[in-house]
Amino acid sequence: MRLYWFKLLGVLTALVLAVVFYGQYYVWLVARNSIQRTVAKPESLDKDLIGHLQFYGSHEDQKKSSTAKLRNIILMKEDEPLACPSSLQLRAKEDSLYKTLFNFDIPLLMWDSHMTESNWRVLSKRPVPYGWKDLPREDVSSTLKLLNDSANQMMFEFKPPQSCVRCAVVGNGGILNGSRKGKEIDEHDYVFRQNGAITKGFEEDVGTKTSFYGFTVNTMKNSLIAYEADGFLSTPKGEAIQYIFIPSDLRDYVMLRSAIMGVPVPTGTDKGDMPSLYFGPETSPKKFKLLHPEFLLYTRDRFLPSEILNTEYARLYMPSTGGLMLLSALHSCDQVSAYGFITRSYNLYSDHYYEKKKQTLEFYANHDLLMEMKLWEMLHKKGIMKLYQRGQDNDKEGKT
């Protein structure tokens, strides 16, 4: 009798263990098949994102990890909570117009992995700033090869303790003179400035903090000449400042390469220049970022397709430096406030906030500032960003 009960207990134990092991196997099998189905059907992803991964995935390392990238992106979209519930990305995706214009997966910055055969075939057919046409391949390749640090691949290496990254983009418009917005600007996590960014003597209106300084070599050097009398004697420098190159010409690639290497510019318009005069003595790649030509084309065609493109001046046209910095922030930050940008009451203020005598804002064929004005105003109305305006702007809103 005792033997019978021992046998029965053994059978029951075997059955329980079998059920447990089968259950664990079934859970593992379902999970594996779920991942396989997800990866095998990437058409469920945003098509622009897939196109981005395919276009920029020709580098050997990217090829090897493409499946993992797709899986991680899908799982992140489905499972992970948003770090910033009030992110401008959410507002843009909820808007009937801007959800079709914004592509937050567009490549914003360019670094060494982007120098591939497929990229060269595409970008060498487009003129600068939207590509590499007529640029010596060696100059482009040798520059990108030096952008090999993680800091070159993302706008912010370290996010602030808060869940939302707050950015101020400070233009140089005369509307800031007497604004007393300096303290408010400096309270942002990051501050973008560009070209003739004078702060000394105007701290109360424009603040003192600079996280990123954006420019083309042409606009930077022209600013040092044109605004010297107003007090722009040097570009912003400091350990915490990073420099954003806009690749509008060959000289931008050559200057960037020389800055990282810490050597004089060897050839071209800026031959003999010491980059340390503009960016300080540090030569680490961490100090520098380079906007991607694909991002420049995207901003022009989706947000600022000016009528100038249909005129004899089409080859000169591109979004303004300030416009590109603002659009870069909109694709990097959770919350963006713009100060010193053109508004409807621009004729009431001087061209720049630091001019001692009022200078009328002049319009040139290389930018469409009125179109940019309307874009900033609409993004402000939609709550995607905040645009600093004065009373007259609100009075005129929608009337012109």
Side-chain angles (χ1 to χ4, degrees):
M1 188 69 177
R2 183 176 298 175
L3 181 61
Y4 170 80
W5 286 111
F6 273 120
K7 288 183 178 180
L8 181 61
L9 182 60
V11 171
L12 290 175
T13 302
L15 285 173
V16 170
L17 290 174
V19 170
V20 170
F21 286 132
Y22 179 79
Q24 290 180 338
Y25 172 78
Y26 180 79
V27 169
W28 172 83
L29 185 65
V30 170
R32 186 195 67 175
N33 290 340
S34 175
I35 292 176
Q36 288 177 339
R37 285 196 301 271
T38 303
V39 175
K41 296 182 179 181
E43 63 270 16
S44 62
L45 283 174
D46 175 40
K47 290 182 179 179
D48 288 331
L49 176 56
I50 292 296
H52 163 60
L53 288 175
Q54 289 173 345
F55 186 81
Y56 295 101
S58 55
H59 189 271
E60 192 61 34
D61 292 337
Q62 293 170 325
K63 281 183 177 179
K64 292 178 181 177
S65 61
S66 59
T67 299
K69 284 182 179 180
L70 287 172
R71 182 177 67 245
N72 290 339
I73 290 168
I74 294 169
L75 294 177
M76 179 182 69
K77 284 188 174 184
E78 290 180 351
D79 301 328
E80 289 189 9
L82 287 170
C84 177
S86 59
S87 172
L88 65 89
Q89 291 192 20
L90 288 178
R91 291 185 180 273
K93 290 175 180 178
E94 291 170 355
D95 186 83
S96 59
L97 170 62
Y98 288 108
K99 71 180 181 182
T100 63
L101 293 182
F102 275 100
N103 175 9
F104 293 102
D105 298 305
I106 198 76
L108 172 61
L109 302 173
M110 184 162 52
W111 60 91
D112 61 339
S113 294
H114 290 155
M115 191 61 206
T116 65
E117 284 298 325
S118 60
N119 285 358
W120 179 260
R121 283 195 297 270
V122 172
L123 295 175
S124 63
K125 296 176 182 178
R126 301 182 197 153
V128 289
Y130 311 110
W132 299 330
K133 187 176 181 180
D134 298 327
L135 298 185
R137 182 166 181 165
E138 176 56 30
D139 284 318
V140 176
S141 177
S142 60
T143 300
L144 294 190
K145 190 179 297 184
L146 297 173
L147 296 172
N148 53 19
D149 190 272
S150 60
N152 308 132
Q153 303 177 24
M154 58 192 78
M155 193 65 75
F156 315 118
E157 275 203 284
F158 303 102
K159 291 190 175 182
Q162 304 94 318
S163 58
C164 298
V165 178
R166 300 173 60 248
C167 299
V169 186
V170 186
N172 301 322
I175 192 173
L176 280 176
N177 193 308
S179 66
R180 298 180 181 273
K181 288 293 176 178
K183 184 175 182 295
E184 181 177 307
I185 289 170
D186 285 346
E187 287 174 348
H188 288 78
D189 300 313
Y190 299 101
V191 178
F192 292 71
R193 300 184 193 268
Q194 56 276 327
N195 295 337
I198 302 173
T199 56
K200 187 175 181 180
F202 299 91
E203 295 87 349
E204 192 173 59
D205 291 334
V206 303
T208 61
K209 184 176 181 178
T210 301
S211 310
F212 301 99
Y213 176 71
F215 57 93
T216 70
V217 172
N218 184 60
T219 61
M220 176 188 72
K221 297 187 81 169
N222 283 347
S223 296
L224 286 167
I225 295 170
Y227 310 126
E228 180 181 11
D230 297 309
F232 189 58
L233 307 178
S234 173
T235 52
K237 296 185 183 70
E239 186 179 346
I241 296 176
Q242 293 182 302
Y243 300 95
I244 303 177
F245 276 74
I246 300 171
S248 70
D249 198 354
L250 174 61
R251 67 194 299 200
D252 297 292
Y253 291 92
V254 176
M255 177 68 79
L256 174 56
R257 182 181 65 203
S258 300
I260 296 174
M261 296 177 66
V263 299
V265 177
T267 58
T269 308
D270 309 299
K271 183 177 180 179
D273 270 13
M274 285 299 300
S276 58
L277 294 175
Y278 310 116
F279 316 117
E282 186 178 344
T283 59
S284 167
K286 291 178 178 288
K287 294 288 287 185
F288 305 101
K289 302 183 190 297
L290 180 65
L291 289 188
H292 201 298
E294 197 73 22
F295 180 75
L296 302 183
L297 183 66
Y298 156 82
T299 57
R300 186 198 74 179
D301 289 353
R302 291 208 187 186
F303 294 96
L304 296 165
S306 173
E307 288 296 322
I308 296 173
L309 292 169
N310 300 320
T311 72
E312 60 185 305
Y313 303 107
R315 65 181 183 83
L316 301 175
Y317 173 73
M318 66 181 291
S320 70
T321 307
L324 288 171
M325 287 301 100
L326 183 45
L327 285 162
S328 295
L330 287 167
H331 285 76
S332 308
C333 313
D334 295 310
Q335 298 170 2
V336 173
S337 298
Y339 303 84
F341 282 78
I342 184 172
T343 66
R344 289 174 178 262
S345 61
Y346 66 86
N347 60 321
L348 297 178
Y349 311 105
S350 190
D351 189 0
H352 302 97
Y353 61 79
Y354 39 75
E355 287 154 345
K356 297 175 178 64
K357 293 184 180 179
K358 182 180 177 182
Q359 302 289 329
T360 303
L361 173 61
E362 295 186 31
F363 298 90
Y364 299 97
N366 60 329
H367 304 312
D368 192 336
L369 296 182
L370 292 178
M371 189 175 196
E372 293 189 14
M373 176 189 75
K374 293 174 183 176
L375 174 61
W376 314 143
E377 183 181 87
M378 284 300 299
L379 291 171
H380 174 79
K381 284 182 178 179
K382 296 287 187 176
I384 295 173
M385 72 173 215
K386 292 182 179 179
L387 175 66
Y388 172 63
Q389 304 176 85
R390 288 192 170 178
Q392 295 89 342
D393 295 309
N394 296 324
D395 294 339
K396 294 180 180 182
E397 206 168 273
K399 296 179 182 179
T400 61

